[in-house]
């Protein structure tokens, strides 16, 4: 899960770009050895969603093949040669020179395959990646199955965003030493004015030797020697008068881990940016560095015209500039893990992140074998997410699911209903798994209307999505805000924990105006948001408000989604501000 890095001992080449591409609707590619030669390819951009690049692939979610050739430098002899795919949605298999070498299921997170034994050192090495995004009920997020999609959508999803397919993030060719640093885990604590950086290092093989951890904090440098036994070592770096990382001052240090041979020569090195900070729940408050923090921001999507969900660095930079412009300090990665580069930018710019696995659309009235298959996928995705993201100071909370429901949307059930019990067991297991993997951060389940109280009780910070005044109390913003206030008070009286309204918003057609405000007008969106924010301001136990959504985004087609779009953004899909963006900027004190 370490991000590719180029230094004196490691090598990384981004082999993204223009690849050959061919869809395989009949599933004949493997039998016909398309991994050796695509019979009728066209050119595709990597990264990028194939749904946005061609007219005939907009709704195609079946198998497709990507192919390219790379020259592995002769200087890489003696190293392990790896391919790292940043994200291939949903399932991928990889071939090197005609041999299948690995794969991954789940999309959204990176995977690595070792091609050392299949490199052609005397010419180009052929790479082929087969990707498919079939909407199956056993996957996470699940397909809709025979009952049809959410809101009658096409394609038939159980969630309200487009099921983009393809290689969505960069592909890297990597060379690492035969014995190399495979994982670095950093946890930071504060003790008065002093900081401690706890470091756990693991190598890819069982190895005994010596190493060093170095922390550079501005003009100061701290060295800690380590003894590695069985491929594992730990170290603690003491940092007096530490400068804590926070949104107002996102101060980063550079931590480098080195391995040495018996002659004191470095054999591997890996560096990462770390921020010294703590995050904890105390009573009904959320504390950053021991002080109460309020998360103001958005739910967000990786979505942009032409790119789809493909990584677009200029869009990423622009989005962070707009977050600062509007005065936001946080967002949730709704509803899947975001790119490595997104979190790197959040670290540098002081944006707090609730990082979420793709567990959206989960119901618990399904057959036990279906629920068991989804649980297996959720556990794997959660393990991968925490392994990749836990070193980022910007990540302050894990979300293990968004809007799970016992039987169907907006159908309340008692805590002892079998579906509610099954869901509590499933979700509670994920919360426990997150705590075990990372005790330093809170974990949550983001809850829908009518979620059983037993599910809300699982979360360290109670996160709820509410649309009073939109999907219910339609057209009545004041009544909607009143319903929100009453429910927040009731939940807090029962649980006594900090709460975040993780989604609230109203579809708004840009340029549509109405006096008095009416639904879909820009005035209605402003009035809706104002009412919810006023309710939160009157309740100290509310520690965050995330507007749904940062920007309009593409969905499956449906009668409730004009233009195949969800229009709840305060910015348009191409990032033009609506009235609501200006309202929030005034409210939140944006730059």
């Amino acid at each position: 899960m370490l991000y590719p890095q180029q230094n004196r001992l490691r090598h990384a080449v981004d082999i993204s770009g223009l690849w050959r591409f061919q869809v395989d609707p009949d599933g004949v590619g493997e039998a016909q050895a398309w991994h050796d030669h695509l019979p009728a390819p066209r050119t595709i951009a990597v990264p990028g969603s194939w749904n946005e690049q061609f007219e005939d692939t907009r709704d195609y979610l079946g198998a497709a093949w990507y192919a390219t050739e790379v020259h592995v430098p002769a200087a890489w002899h003696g190293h392990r040669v790896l391919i790292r795919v940043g994200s291939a949605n949903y399932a991928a298999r990889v071939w090197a020179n005609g041999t299948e070498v690995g794969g991954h299921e789940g999309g959204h997170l990176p995977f690595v395959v070792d091609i050392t034994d299949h490199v052609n050192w005397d010419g180009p090495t052929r790479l082929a990646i087969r990707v498919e995004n079939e909407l199956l009920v056993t996957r996470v997020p699940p397909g809709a199955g025979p009952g049809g999609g959410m809101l009658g959508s096409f394609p038939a999803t159980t969630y309200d965003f487009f099921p983009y397919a393809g290689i969505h993030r960069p592909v890297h060719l990597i060379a690492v030493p035969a014995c190399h640093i495979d994982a670095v885990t950093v946890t930071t604590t504060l003790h008065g004015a002093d900081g401690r950086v706890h470091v756990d290092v693991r190598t890819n093989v069982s190895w005994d030797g010596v190493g060093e951890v170095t922390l550079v904090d501005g003009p100061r440098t701290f060295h800690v020697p380590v003894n590695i036994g069985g491929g594992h070592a730990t170290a603690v770096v003491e940092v007096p008068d530490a400068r804590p990382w926070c949104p107002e001052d996102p101060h980063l240090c550079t931590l480098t881990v080195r391995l040495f041979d018996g002659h004191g020569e470095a054999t591997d090195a890996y560096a990462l940016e770390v921020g010294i900070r703590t995050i904890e729940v105390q009573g009904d408050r959320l504390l950053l560095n021991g002080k109460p923090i309020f998360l103001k921001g958005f739910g967000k999507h990786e979505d942009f015209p032409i790119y789809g969900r493909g990584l677009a660095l200029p869009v990423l930079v622009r989005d962070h500039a707009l977050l600062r412009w509007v005065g936001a300090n946080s967002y949730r990665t709704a509803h899947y893990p975001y790119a490595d580069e997104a979190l790197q930018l959040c670290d540098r710019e002081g944006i707090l992140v609730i990082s979420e696995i793709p567990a959206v659309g989960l119901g618990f009235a399904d057959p036990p074998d279906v629920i068991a298959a989804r649980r297996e996928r959720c556990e794997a995705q959660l393990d991968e997410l925490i392994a990749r993201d836990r070193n980022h100071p910007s990540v302050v909370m894990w979300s293990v699911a968004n809007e799970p429901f016992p039987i169907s949307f907006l159908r309340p059930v008692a805590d002892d209903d079998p579906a509610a019990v099954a869901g509590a067991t499933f979700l509670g297991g994920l919360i426990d798994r997150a705590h075990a993997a990372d005790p330093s951060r809170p974990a949550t389940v983001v809850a829908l209307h009518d979620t059983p109280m037993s599910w809300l009780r699982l979360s360290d910070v109670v996160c709820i999505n509410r649309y009073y005044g939109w999907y219910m109390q339609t057209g009545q913003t004041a009544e909607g805000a009143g319903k929100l206030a009453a429910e927040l008070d009731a939940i807090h009286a029962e649980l006594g924990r900090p709460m975040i309204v993780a989604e609230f918003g109203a579809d708004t057609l840009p340029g549509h105006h109405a006096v008095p405000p009416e639904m879909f007008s820009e005035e209605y969106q402003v009035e809706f948001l104002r009412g919810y924010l006023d309710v939160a301001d009157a309740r100290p136990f509310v520690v965050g408000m995330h507007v749904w959504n940062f920007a309009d985004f593409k969905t499956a087609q449906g009668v409730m989604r004009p233009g195949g779009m969800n229009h709840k953004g305060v910015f348009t899909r191409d990032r033009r501000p609506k009235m609501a963006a200006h309202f929030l900027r005034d409210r939140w004190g944006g730059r």
Side-chain angles (χ1 to χ4, degrees), residues 320-574:
H320 281 73
L322 290 174
L323 287 169
R324 285 302 187 195
W325 178 84
V326 84
N329 67 2
S330 58
Y331 67 78
R332 176 166 60 113
T333 66
H335 298 295
Y336 38 79
Y338 284 10
D340 300 80
E341 294 82 358
L343 297 180
Q344 292 167 8
L345 194 55
C346 288
D347 291 343
R348 296 177 185 182
E349 302 212 345
I351 299 297
L352 306 172
V353 176
I354 299 174
S355 196
E356 187 167 87
I357 64 172
V360 58
L362 299 182
F364 294 95
D366 295 302
D369 60 325
V370 170
I371 294 176
R374 291 175 184 163
R375 179 168 185 165
E376 182 178 347
R377 293 311 320 148
C378 285
E379 290 174 346
Q381 291 171 349
L382 184 60
D383 291 348
E384 292 175 13
L385 175 70
I386 294 175
R388 188 196 70 164
D389 291 353
R390 65 176 299 161
N391 293 333
H392 290 284
S394 57
V395 175
V396 294
M397 199 179 310
W398 305 116
S399 172
V400 304
N402 176 74
E403 295 188 348
F405 50 91
I407 296 175
S408 64
F409 272 9
L410 308 181
R411 178 178 170 184
V413 299
D415 282 355
D416 60 356
D417 183 276
V421 172
T425 301
F426 184 110
L427 299 167
L430 293 178
I431 291 283
D432 290 344
R433 196 178 190 94
H435 286 156
D438 179 18
S440 72
R441 289 179 176 88
T444 190
V445 175
V446 180
L448 184 67
H449 291 268
D450 297 315
T451 295
M453 187 63 70
S454 60
W455 294 11
L456 296 178
R457 190 172 285 110
L458 299 171
S459 296
D460 301 310
V461 177
V462 179
C463 292
I464 61 172
N465 298 343
R466 291 299 182 265
Y467 291 95
Y468 301 119
W470 186 254
Y471 293 118
M472 56 277 293
Q473 291 78 49
T474 301
Q476 305 166 76
T477 56
E479 289 78 357
K483 287 281 290 184
L484 174 70
E487 187 178 17
L488 288 172
D489 291 340
I491 294 173
H492 182 253
E494 177 75 18
L495 302 179
R497 297 180 189 173
M499 298 186 67
I500 295 174
V501 182
E503 289 185 21
F504 62 104
D507 279 274
T508 306
L509 300 176
H512 176 52
H513 297 280
V515 178
E518 65 182 12
M519 294 180 70
F520 293 98
S521 70
E522 297 199 31
E523 288 80 5
Y524 191 91
Q525 185 180 36
V526 169
E527 187 173 281
F528 181 101
L529 298 181
R530 179 184 288 112
Y532 272 57
L533 294 176
D534 286 348
V535 166
D537 284 351
R539 288 160 176 80
F541 59 84
V542 176
V543 299
M545 296 293 285
H546 278 177
V547 175
W548 190 259
N549 192 281
F550 174 74
D552 295 344
F553 57 91
K554 187 173 176 63
T555 68
Q557 297 179 67
V559 295
M560 290 183 63
R561 294 290 173 253
M565 295 281 293
N566 186 307
H567 288 98
K568 290 190 178 69
V570 304
F571 295 95
T572 63
R573 195 181 185 208
D574 59 356

